[in-house]
Structures are given as C-alpha cells and as structure tokens.
Amino acid sequence: MFKPSVAGYYSCTAALDKAMRYDELFRISLYKSGSHQRSNMIYRELQASGPTHNPARSYVTNTVTAIIYLDGSSDYVETYVGVELAIGGTNPATQLH
C-alpha cells in the first residue's frame, strides 16, 4: 500500500514477473482507496499441436501504470494480482494475492 502525505497527481506503476502456464490469464490492477483504477491482462493460449505447441512455462512481466490523484490524507493505492486457470477446458479458478 502507498499512502502519501502530500496531495497531488502520482504516477503509479506495478509490475510482476511470473512463470505462466498454458491457458492462463494473468491480471495486475491498481486500486485507489478500494476503487479500481486500471488493469492489464496477459493471456497465454495452449496451441494443440504444430510448431507453436509448448505446454511448458514461460516467464512474462506484466506492468500497469496510471496517473492517480491522491488527497494526501486518506487516499491510498494498492496493487492486486489475479490468475485464472482453465480447469478441464471450461471452468476458471481464480487466485488473488
């Protein structure tokens, strides 16, 4: 959590490296005082066969940036990360950290 003591506009950036599996959605979000501001998502689709078929993990960096006004007293910024996996090809399971 980031909570400044001086009011103003802040450039807020969050980034995370992650080993992604196939059929996985990786989202990183910025929240101001509990209210969603901006998100960025990366999806890695499984290729069933052919030269692009690679079920192994690959590392990616997901970054989100927003200019956010903070009042210097009660406003704060938080980062949330979400991962959704395709289970059996249909039902997503979500984990938030």
Side-chain angles (χ1 to χ4, degrees):
M1 177 173 55
F2 171 65
K3 186 176 179 182
S5 58
V6 176
Y9 288 91
Y10 289 82
S11 177
C12 301
T13 300
L16 184 69
D17 293 327
K18 182 186 181 320
M20 285 189 72
R21 300 184 326 180
Y22 56 87
D23 281 350
E24 186 172 67
L25 177 71
F26 170 31
R27 176 180 34 249
I28 189 166
S29 305
L30 291 172
Y31 281 73
K32 172 188 169 182
S33 303
S35 178
H36 178 261
Q37 298 297 300
R38 180 160 296 174
S39 293
N40 191 44
M41 292 179 270
I42 297 174
Y43 176 69
R44 182 167 182 223
E45 182 178 14
L46 174 65
Q47 300 294 323
S49 63
T52 58
H53 176 69
N54 182 6
R57 293 173 183 252
S58 63
Y59 285 88
V60 296
T61 300
N62 195 350
T63 305
V64 62
T65 299
I67 305 292
I68 301 173
Y69 180 81
L70 301 169
D71 65 12
S73 60
S74 62
D75 286 340
Y76 59 93
V77 174
E78 292 179 298
T79 300
Y80 290 92
V81 174
V83 177
E84 295 180 16
L85 306 171
I87 299 173
T90 56
N91 301 321
T94 302
Q95 303 169 338
L96 290 177
H97 306 282

